[in-house]
Amino acid sequence: MSNAPLRVVLAKVGLDGHDRGIKVVARALRDAGFHVIYAGLWQTPEAVVRAVADEDADWLGISLLSGAHMTLMPRLLQLLREAGLSHVGVLVGGIIPEDDVPKLLELGVAKVFGPGTPLDDIVAFLQQAPRDRHASTAS
Amino acid sequence: MLAPLLERFRQRDRLALARLLSLVARGEQTEEILAGLPTTAKPARVVSITGPGGVGKSSLTGKLIAEIRRHHLSVAVLACDPQSPLSGGALLGDRFRMPAHPDDDGVFIRSLAAAGGQGALAAHLPALLQLVESFGFEVILLETVGAGQGDTAVRALVDVVVLLLQPETGDELQWEKAGLLEVADVIALHKADLPGIDRAEAQVLAALGLSAGPTPPVLRVSSRTGQGIADLWQAIRALPLRRGLRRDADELFRLTREWLAVRFAAVRATPPCTALLDRWRTGQVRTEAAVRELLRLLSDSPLDHD
Ligand SMILES: Nc1nc2c(ncn2[C@@H]2O[C@H](COP(=O)(O)OP(=O)(O)O)[C@@H](O)[C@H]2O)c(=O)[nH]1
Ligand SMILES: [Mg+2]
């Protein structure tokens, strides 16, 4: 419908402390023309879903280092569905064991980016993804 | 396909509010959207939180949210950030400093960066505010970077302007040169926990002392310690709703002009008026007296219009 900038919410769930990686991604996406909403560290799944809703995000990028991905991600995806936000694309970044990647994709995650993924790859993935995710809720 | 979205908005669906804000921020279908909004029963109190980058606008907004909720008022935040003129992208980090309970429907926080920069955003602000107000929020906090004289545009859209200043290390009087003080209804000396606060307060009071007219209250506030937050909200609450006042005055002036036009048309053909005109033309009555006489005729004449 339009080529307005896509809105991406970036958040870090779980208890591990540092946010360098997510901030680097945030800047790269901004420089590629996205509107990036940095929702912060130590977010609960509920707070992330609220941010995605109020910010009318097209994408949600979750950073995980804590190893809790197989409990956090199903819960998060479930909450998104319950909130009427199934149209939002979900990306996961962080240290995810090889075996768990297909499981996350099965759950509905659009893409998993391991540590050291070139920023260009992340930007390219979002740029080539279909723009009509909104079909279910808007015009 | 706006109708279903507007219907959901009327049913107080937050996702519909969020989506309509996106459309309006991009300047898409604004007229149609505004035409479809329910009228607000009670006007919101719209408060702009402004000041230079880094002064702590987002942190203070976060504290005010909690204070406002303590008074059982619902609150929406529009946090506006500049976007990169080169890429059109933006990094919106304000909500990160505004912790809110995710299950509290009385708080809505939205980050905004309009295509075309701060100027374009200002152009869309009236409609954005109308959307949030129409949804029913009782307080609206608008975070914008204060850049000096240009902010008078924002001032006209809000009830109360809170200007944040902080103890400075560099060129202390930047804000004075920028004409920032003139737009303020309340001045918050923020980061009052820092050592330079006495000097900053003295400078602000001195600068205000030079200006004519009433001076805004100056409060020491710290988002870090919580000092002055409750007092700041009391100061904001104590001020009149400027938008409402202006709207009433404009309405009154408009009605008066219409009333005058109608009466003038009715009176000018009547015998007392033609007689007055004759006496004035022939010099029997001086102009000033004739004007007074005419005004008396206008106010005496029956108004069959109302
Ligand atoms: N010392 C002190 N620092 C503060 C206070 N409030 C905010 N800050 C810091 O000021 C910086 C900018 O805050 P932010 O709210 O993002 O400012 P904004 O750019 O005006 O929105 C951050 O590093 C905050 O931690 C305060 O009351 N005291
Ligand atoms: Mg800010």
Side-chain angles (χ1 to χ4, degrees), chain B residues 52-59 94 97 143 190-191 193-194 222-224:
Chain B
V55 72
K57 298 178 293 295
S58 302
S59 309
D94 293 320
R97 299 197 188 277
E143 177 184 341
H190 197 221
K191 307 192 186 179
D193 54 290
L194 294 180
S222 167
S223 295
R224 188 152 290 174

Side-chain angles (χ1 to χ4, degrees), chain A residues 4 35-36 50 54-56 138, chain B residues 14 19 22 90 92 95 105:
Chain A
H35 283 185
V36 182
R50 194 21 89 80
D54 288 1
E55 298 290 352
D56 187 25
Chain B
R14 281 171 85 103
R19 178 60 47 80
S22 301
L92 308 167
R95 86 174 286 133
D105 286 338

Side-chain angles (χ1 to χ4, degrees), chain A residues 1-2 4-5 7 19 23 26-27 29-41 43-44 46-48 50-51 53-58 83-85 87 134 137-139, chain B residues 1-2 5 8 14-15 18-23 26 28-29 83-84 87-96 100-115:
Chain A
M1 173 183 66
S2 77
R7 296 173 65 82
D19 59 353
K23 282 187 168 160
R27 277 187 222 110
L29 291 177
R30 174 200 60 195
D31 294 342
F34 293 90
H35 283 185
V36 182
I37 297 106
Y38 178 55
L41 293 168
Q43 298 290 303
T44 63
E46 288 79 4
V48 171
R50 194 21 89 80
D54 288 1
E55 298 290 352
D56 187 25
D58 303 286
L85 296 166
H87 59 281
H134 283 154
T137 51
S139 38
Chain B
M1 286 288 283
L2 212 49
L5 200 53
R8 280 168 51 204
R14 281 171 85 103
L15 296 185
R19 178 60 47 80
L20 288 171
L21 285 169
S22 301
L23 293 175
R26 301 199 290 256
E28 289 173 21
Q29 296 176 284
Q83 79 175 18
S84 153
S87 69
L91 185 44
L92 308 167
D94 293 320
R95 86 174 286 133
F96 160 63
H101 297 289
D103 52 356
D104 182 0
D105 286 338
V107 179
F108 178 91
I109 302 172
R110 180 58 183 257
S111 320
L112 290 165

Side-chain angles (χ1 to χ4, degrees), chain A residues 1-90:
Chain A
M1 173 183 66
S2 77
N3 54 2
L6 289 173
R7 296 173 65 82
V8 186
V9 166
L10 294 183
K12 195 163 164 122
V13 293
L15 289 176
D16 50 293
H18 80 101
D19 59 353
R20 255 200 60 214
I22 201 169
K23 282 187 168 160
V24 170
V25 172
R27 277 187 222 110
L29 291 177
R30 174 200 60 195
D31 294 342
F34 293 90
H35 283 185
V36 182
I37 297 106
Y38 178 55
L41 293 168
W42 307 313
Q43 298 290 303
T44 63
E46 288 79 4
V48 171
V49 170
R50 194 21 89 80
V52 169
D54 288 1
E55 298 290 352
D56 187 25
D58 303 286
W59 289 95
L60 168 62
I62 289 289
S63 166
L64 287 162
L65 290 174
S66 58
H69 53 279
M70 287 319 290
T71 49
L72 281 173
M73 289 316 295
R75 170 140 183 75
L76 188 60
L77 291 159
Q78 171 72 21
L79 288 172
L80 282 172
R81 274 193 297 273
E82 283 169 14
L85 296 166
S86 315
H87 59 281
V88 177
V90 178

Side-chain angles (χ1 to χ4, degrees), chain B residues 165-223:
Chain B
L165 299 169
Q166 64 177 346
E168 292 285 357
T169 42
D171 183 358
E172 321 255 346
L173 298 179
Q174 277 303 347
W175 39 266
E176 201 185 347
K177 288 195 207 106
L180 274 177
L181 292 184
E182 283 145 41
V183 301
D185 298 301
V186 178
I187 293 176
L189 289 166
H190 197 221
K191 307 192 186 179
D193 54 290
L194 294 180
I197 193 67
D198 291 333
R199 214 157 85 85
E201 185 177 59
Q203 286 172 339
V204 169
L205 292 176
L208 287 173
L210 297 176
S211 70
T215 53
V218 179
L219 297 162
R220 289 190 185 203
V221 180
S222 167
S223 295

